[in-house]
Structures are given as C-alpha cells and as structure tokens.
Amino acid sequence: MPSTPLALRLANQLLRPAFGSRHTPDRAFDRLLARAGGAEGDERFADDFRSLLRWWAGAENLTPVGWQSARGHVGRHLAGRARIRRLIAEHPDIEREPIEDPVFVVGLPRTATTLTHGVLSLSDEHRCPLLWELLNPGLEVPPGGRRKATAPARRMVEGINLLTPRFRDIHPMTAEGPEECTFALPHALMPLSSARIPEYQAWHYERDFVADYRHLKQVYQVLQYGRPRRRWILKSPMHLENLDALHTVFPDATIVWTHRDPVTVVASFCSLVEHGMAVSTRPVDPRGIGATWLDLLSRSAARGVAARAVLPPERLVDVPYSWLGTDPAVGAPKLYAAVGARWTGAEAARLAAVAARPKGTRPHRYELSRYGLTRADVESAFAGYNALRAEVDRA
C-alpha cells in the first residue's frame, strides 16, 4: 500500500474533531444544502445527494480526510446545481444555446482518453472545458477575475499533489488544463474511487442517467453563453456506460471510442484507484479494489458495446491505442480526419507539448496480481468487448 505522507497524517489529525458529524449525515447534508441556497423545486436532485452522503458516511475504514472529501464532493455538486439554475433563471436564453456537433471521447480508463482529448483540443476551432470551469461553472469571468475564479481548482490540485504525491505520476492535473466531464456529471463513479460504498454502487446500476446528461448540457450552455461558439471537445471514460443517455441528450454527438487491452487497463486503473483511495480510506484493500473495479469496468464495456446499436455509424470513431500511444504524429492527423476537423501546421506545432510526459513525473508501474486478479479473470469478464476490439484492430 502507498506509504502515508506526513501531510496526510497531519490533515487527518486536524480534521478529526469534525469527523463526528459522520454519525449524523442528514444534519451534515442540511448544512451543505443551506450553504448552497436550498433546493426548492429541485428536491429530487437534492434527495439523491442526501442518499449518497448517508451511504458515504457508512463507508468502511473512512478517514477524517475521507469524510471531508465526501462533504466537499456533495457540497460542490449542490452549489453547482444551484448556480446553474440561478443563471438560467436570470438569463433564459442560456437554454437556447446550441451545443452543436460535440465530440465525446469515451473508452475504458487508461486507454489514452486524456491524450486523445488533449490532441483534439489543440485546434483553435475547438473548445474544451477546463478544470476550474467544471468545478465552478459560470458566465465569462471579467478582466482581472481569473485568479480568484481558478483558486478552488488550484487548491484541489495542490491538495491532491500534497496528500498523494504519486497520483500526479499516473494522472497529472492542472487547474487551467482540459479536464473531463466527470467533475460536472452529477452521478459518475467518482465516489467509488474514494471509498467502498456498495449501496451507491447498487443504486448507480439502476439509475436512469438522462437527467444527469441534461444537467451536463446546461453546464456547457452556461460556459458557452455570451462567448464565441466553437466545437466542444468533451471527455470521460465514465460516459462509456451511459452512451444511450448521452445520445438522447446530445443526438448529434460524435463518439470517439479509444481502445486498449483490458488486462493493462484494469491493472493500471486499479493502481490509480489505490493511490487515490489511500487519501480517504485506511487501510486500503487492493483485492477489494480489484473485485469492485473488474465488475464496474467490465459492466461499463458491456453496456458500451450494447449501446453501439443505437448510435449512428457515421457518428462513431474507433481509435486503437496505437494511433496516439505509439506515434502521435501519425495518429493525430488520422484522428482529426475521422471527426471531420482540420489538421494544420498550427496543431502539429503544438502536438509535442501535449504528448509529452509532464516534467517531474515518473513512469507508472503496476501489477494485476496485486489486486487479486489474473489475466484469465479479466479476459473472461471482457469477452464481449475483446471481440469488438479485435474487429477494430482488423479494420
């Protein structure tokens, strides 16, 4: 298990006095809801997050930092929702903003979705959401207000890097860099990467996600309102399990699906989860992570394969890992052509910076066996997806 940084030990000590509120999660939730401005007319949204906080409070081996993270996650979504609703009430034209022909990069995690997103974001004709915008979506920031607006994202990134230094070797983040829709989507799988919450996992499996994607669309309408319209380049591995809901809300979206051997995917992602979960849960159970995420990821892949039947074939682009993982200079122009975008010398000049490993990071090493899994386990769980991947490789 990753060693405990001194900063994390100190943070847990400092937050211990507030840890008792874990035993009264409804009271903790009511304070967060009041701080967000209430939920009149939006009770269903609030009730869903009330349930999440209750379940999260009961998570096994949760630490004081973990409980603070849970309240922060729920509070941020409540505040974000209230802000979106308020802005739409003040500016009704927001809901008439067209999100035209967006690109969604999807695929299992650790399949170069981040690199693909970054490459597609190189074009001046494209628009990607930045981390600070996703954490605090709003109208255009006035001159001189950028530093204040980006402060919450900077604090988040600094906190992650301080409490789990190895995380940036696996998934580096920057406050003003492109980031994934997961931070704005109300109910993604993010809580399950922080703690074991079986009630939320079961609830998640039964959820209709259309309302979540309607909220996501409103987020991008707010971020577009009053600003030049460009083609949105969006990304999250978590979209893969909900392509049907995504297509319902964004019917003209182009889906860019990245592919990679799931044996590598599962081992790499379990390692990422372990390093992230070590901030919120002590001790961490690697075998529990393996069992949980083998189920989550294989289900996501299976749902993605099934949803392909409802997607217009001309709106689906399959991207083997080799396109960008082996030689980005060759793969990037192919990617742009596949989504109907122009690849010019300007994008080519910026490519090396996007494809390079961030300075100061180390190679990511991982072993599937650490998570109680074998190659046979993964290949069996992903049999349907592997058949699709073989077709993609032959194409």
Side-chain angles (χ1 to χ4, degrees), residues 289-312:
I289 290 173
T292 296
W293 284 97
L294 178 65
D295 186 55
L296 289 168
L297 295 177
S298 61
R299 175 183 180 272
S300 178
R303 285 175 58 84
V305 170
R308 290 173 72 99
V310 305
L311 299 177

Side-chain angles (χ1 to χ4, degrees), residues 52-197:
L52 171 57
L53 193 64
R54 284 176 183 164
W55 296 326
W56 209 330
E60 186 178 7
N61 299 326
L62 195 68
T63 65
V65 168
W67 177 233
Q68 174 66 24
S69 297
R71 288 181 295 160
H73 176 93
V74 170
R76 178 171 62 79
H77 279 284
L78 293 175
R81 174 71 162 198
R83 187 183 312 109
I84 294 295
R85 285 167 55 83
R86 183 180 68 253
L87 287 171
I88 290 175
E90 294 170 354
H91 308 277
D93 284 348
I94 287 174
E95 285 200 295
R96 289 188 281 276
E97 281 289 328
I99 306 300
E100 295 177 331
D101 193 25
V103 174
F104 281 84
V105 178
V106 310
L108 292 167
R110 318 306 295 166
T111 58
T113 54
T114 299
L115 177 56
T116 303
H117 187 219
V119 169
L120 286 171
S121 299
L122 289 172
S123 173
D124 291 334
E125 297 175 356
H126 294 166
R127 165 83 155 95
C128 63
L130 308 179
L131 177 59
W132 71 270
E133 295 178 309
L134 292 168
L135 294 180
N136 191 24
L139 302 184
E140 188 166 16
V141 176
R146 180 84 168 212
R147 182 166 181 79
K148 181 179 179 181
T150 60
R154 291 200 311 274
R155 288 195 296 268
M156 171 185 278
V157 173
E158 290 166 359
I160 291 171
N161 292 340
L162 182 66
L163 299 180
T164 176
R166 283 299 316 278
F167 192 87
R168 70 183 299 267
D169 295 332
I170 307 171
H171 183 70
M173 300 168 62
T174 60
E176 299 190 59
E179 199 43 80
E180 59 187 52
C181 304
T182 308
F183 288 96
L185 197 65
H187 290 286
L189 294 171
M190 190 178 289
L192 299 176
S193 66
S194 297
R196 184 176 178 274
I197 316 173

